[in-house]
Amino acid sequence: MKSFFRNHIVYWITFTILITVGIQIYWNITSYRTNKQNLINTIQIALDNGIDSYYSEKAKSNITYRDTINLPDPSDLPVPGDVKNIRVYRTKVQADSSKPKHKKVLIKYSSDEPNPSVSEIKNIQVLAQKIIIAVRQDSIDLPKIANYLDREFSRKQLDMDYALLYTRNHRTVSEYQNPGDKKYSFTTASKSTYLPQDGKLELFFPDIFFKTLKEGLAGILLSLILSLCIVFSLFYLLYIIRQQKQLAIIKNDFISNVSHELKTPIAVVTSALEGIEKFNTENEPEKTKKYLAISNQHLAKLHQIVEKILETSFLESDQLQLRRESVNLNELTQNILEKIQIKTEKSISLKTTNPEILIYVDVFHFENVITNLIDNAIKYGGDQIILTLTEESGKTSITVSDNGSGIDKSQRAKIFDKFYRIPSNNRHDQKGFGIGLYYARNIILKHGGTLELISDEITTFKITIPHE
């Protein structure tokens, strides 16, 4: 089960990301729709409140509670039904023969209580206002309603253009602004009970997408931040898993290389001591000297391996202290080349722009850096190696080039990693631990310089050391 999860971790992470993003998108869409409906409801309430305010003001200025109203037809009187215990009667009032006939509206209140309360009296008055207004008003002052509507919009912090259209029996009576304008993509009708039964007042307003988005902006941003954090965490987790997997491979490769390197000198020294013990019974000086020389040689190699590993561990701490001194770079590199040239048949040449280039470095570690770069060129490069020394303004450059096949592009970013060796199909044609370039780069960094791979036609490693 663990192996299955490990091998399919990418699919699990991808699935988790898709589910997370999907849930967040669904939540945001649902939130947007809710906010949009709430905004439409707010506009609807503002419209109804504006109309109610308009009619209330109209009633206060023009309406009395005792009145006689001319009716074209008694059956046309619209009677609102939103007040309980109220009965409305239509009666004829007989006048002189010389005067026109009038119709009288009688509102009769019925209740079980002997004395009506204040709220009940107000309900009767409101009903009377609605009936009288509905009978008297054939048209509506839309600009005046717009004033009341602007107040409502301002109170509810709504800032938008709008148009009004008033119709009766599906015929246009009046309009405000231009309801037919294409920018007004939304419409809502007033539900105010003050309007006549055959009248309809509609509000037209533009798309409210950005207003709705603004309403839910905090939730959207929070959702976006949460989604990004989850996605980043999962990708970082995947990165760490891959890094750990790569480190495990490198560690196993390093252990394998070190074991192989350590076994050889240990086996040789063991054989030499066994030879002295079993095959030199007569204590021949020459044979003993030969066995001891072999032992010393391989013990020195074993000491060198241990020193490299210790140097690498020192680099990761602050225990490595550089002992810098002024030295002639030309002489230093010439001595290095003389030592290396004895061990190889490849051609190594030195080019310099100045016969005396002084640098301020730790001679021991800096010599190891140059040696490592040349050793790598001998092991993995071509048959011609060129060491170039250049003194520039404020810095000194050292390049080690070879005419080999070069380093694959996919491996260039990893060659300075600790214990990393370029894969060679499980073959170890050249010995090493993968710490040479790691060590070299860190030593140069401690000198305040840089070590980089320049990949042109030939493979070139360039060291840059600033002048003190």
Side-chain angles (χ1 to χ4, degrees):
M1 184 64 182
K2 290 183 179 180
S3 176
F4 175 82
F5 183 79
R6 253 194 327 265
N7 295 334
H8 297 81
I9 186 65
V10 176
Y11 301 105
W12 286 107
I13 290 178
T14 304
F15 175 75
T16 304
I17 290 174
L18 291 176
I19 291 295
T20 302
V21 172
I23 290 174
Q24 295 299 321
I25 291 174
Y26 172 78
W27 183 83
N28 283 324
I29 291 175
T30 304
S31 177
Y32 171 80
R33 289 175 178 172
T34 302
N35 291 334
K36 182 178 180 181
Q37 188 59 51
N38 290 339
L39 188 56
I40 292 174
N41 292 340
T42 302
I43 294 172
Q44 177 75 57
I45 293 171
L47 174 62
D48 293 337
N49 290 344
I51 293 174
D52 289 349
S53 298
Y54 166 79
Y55 275 115
S56 296
E57 194 66 30
K58 195 83 172 173
K60 290 177 183 178
S61 59
N62 296 326
I63 303 301
T64 59
Y65 300 121
R66 184 177 179 182
D67 206 344
T68 301
I69 307 165
N70 293 326
L71 292 176
D73 186 352
S75 62
D76 289 342
L77 180 61
V79 181
D82 58 343
V83 182
K84 297 180 180 180
N85 302 323
I86 300 296
R87 296 180 183 177
V88 179
Y89 300 94
R90 298 179 181 87
T91 61
K92 293 183 179 180
V93 178
Q94 187 65 40
D96 295 338
S97 59
S98 61
K99 294 180 180 180
K101 294 180 180 180
H102 297 280
K103 308 302 176 186
K104 189 174 184 180
V105 177
L106 177 63
I107 301 176
K108 184 178 180 181
Y109 169 78
S110 63
S111 174
D112 296 334
E113 300 293 332
N115 296 314
S117 64
V118 175
S119 63
E120 289 173 339
I121 293 174
K122 284 187 177 181
N123 289 338
I124 297 171
Q125 293 174 350
V126 170
L127 176 61
Q129 291 175 10
K130 291 181 179 180
I131 294 174
I132 295 171
I133 292 171
V135 171
R136 279 189 162 185
Q137 301 297 324
D138 293 326
S139 62
I140 296 178
D141 189 353
L142 292 184
K144 203 164 189 178
I145 288 182
N147 291 334
Y148 289 105
L149 199 53
D150 288 339
R151 293 178 193 172
E152 291 294 325
F153 281 170
S154 176
R155 189 167 62 85
K156 297 182 181 298
Q157 297 181 347
L158 293 173
D159 181 20
M160 63 182 182
D161 296 329
Y162 62 89
L164 297 171
L165 176 65
Y166 178 58
T167 59
R168 295 195 70 173
N169 293 322
H170 306 290
R171 288 181 298 181
T172 300
V173 177
S174 59
E175 62 181 38
Y176 176 78
Q177 301 295 356
N178 182 15
D181 197 325
K182 292 182 178 180
K183 70 178 181 178
Y184 300 126
S185 53
F186 287 86
T187 180
T188 183
S190 174
K191 299 177 182 178
S192 175
T193 55
Y194 281 102
L195 291 172
Q197 289 184 348
D198 59 349
K200 183 179 182 182
L201 181 60
E202 293 179 277
L203 173 71
F204 294 83
F205 53 95
D207 191 358
I208 55 175
F209 172 77
F210 291 105
K211 290 183 180 295
T212 306
L213 205 61
K214 186 179 178 181
E215 288 291 326
L217 187 61
I220 293 173
L221 289 177
L222 183 62
S223 172
L224 180 62
I225 292 172
L226 179 63
S227 298
L228 290 177
C229 288
I230 292 174
V231 171
F232 172 78
S233 299
L234 290 173
F235 274 115
Y236 185 70
L237 174 63
L238 180 61
Y239 170 78
I240 292 297
I241 291 173
R242 287 186 170 178
Q243 285 289 99
Q244 293 297 324
K245 187 177 180 181
Q246 185 66 30
L247 285 175
I249 294 173
I250 293 173
K251 180 191 71 174
N252 293 335
D253 188 43
F254 172 73
I255 293 173
S256 176
N257 290 335
V258 169
S259 300
H260 177 75
E261 293 291 333
L262 293 177
K263 280 181 179 180
T264 302
I266 291 174
V268 172
V269 171
T270 302
S271 299
L273 294 177
E274 186 179 357
I276 294 174
E277 181 183 4
K278 294 183 178 180
F279 302 102
N280 191 22
T281 54
E282 297 180 1
N283 291 325
E284 298 179 16
E286 290 296 327
K287 188 177 289 188
T288 301
K289 185 178 179 180
K290 178 182 177 182
Y291 287 144
L292 289 176
I294 294 173
S295 298
N296 287 331
Q297 180 183 355
H298 284 274
L299 285 174
K301 184 178 180 181
L302 188 61
H303 176 75
Q304 186 180 8
I305 293 172
V306 174
E307 282 295 322
K308 284 186 177 181
I309 296 174
L310 289 176
E311 285 172 359
T312 304
S313 65
F314 280 136
L315 285 175
E316 295 180 345
S317 65
D318 296 329
Q319 297 180 14
L320 180 63
Q321 299 295 328
L322 298 179
R323 297 179 180 178
R324 303 177 72 170
E325 58 183 285
S326 181
V327 62
N328 188 336
L329 181 61
N330 297 65
E331 294 179 359
L332 178 65
T333 51
Q334 188 63 49
N335 292 333
I336 294 172
L337 293 183
E338 289 176 359
K339 296 176 184 177
I340 295 176
Q341 190 66 72
I342 299 174
K343 304 176 184 178
T344 181
E345 296 179 356
K346 293 186 177 183
S347 171
I348 305 175
S349 59
L350 174 64
K351 295 181 180 179
T352 180
T353 57
N354 192 333
E356 185 177 7
I357 301 175
L358 297 177
I359 57 174
Y360 191 66
V361 295
D362 184 306
V363 177
F364 173 77
H365 289 292
F366 194 79
E367 184 176 344
N368 287 341
V369 170
I370 303 297
T371 302
N372 281 338
L373 293 178
I374 297 176
D375 281 342
N376 283 343
I378 293 173
K379 291 178 181 178
Y380 310 110
D383 55 2
Q384 292 183 356
I385 302 166
I386 302 173
L387 184 64
T388 306
L389 311 180
T390 306
E391 192 172 28
E392 303 173 4
S393 58
K395 59 183 179 180
T396 300
S397 297
I398 307 160
T399 60
V400 179
S401 307
D402 67 80
N403 61 345
S405 57
I407 299 174
D408 190 83
K409 290 183 179 180
S410 61
Q411 305 296 327
R412 291 174 187 172
K414 304 176 184 178
I415 58 174
F416 292 104
D417 293 347
K418 183 173 62 172
F419 304 138
Y420 186 80
R421 299 185 68 198
I422 297 176
S424 56
N425 298 326
N426 253 355
R427 290 176 2 198
H428 298 284
D429 299 330
Q430 300 293 342
K431 298 179 181 180
F433 310 121
I435 58 176
L437 290 177
Y438 173 79
Y439 167 81
R441 182 177 231 182
N442 278 274
I443 290 297
I444 297 300
L445 287 176
K446 284 184 177 293
H447 280 83
T450 59
L451 171 60
E452 55 187 334
L453 170 64
I454 302 175
S455 299
D456 296 325
E457 295 181 0
I458 60 176
T459 301
T460 301
F461 286 91
K462 182 179 180 180
I463 299 173
T464 303
I465 299 292
H467 291 167
E468 290 294 327

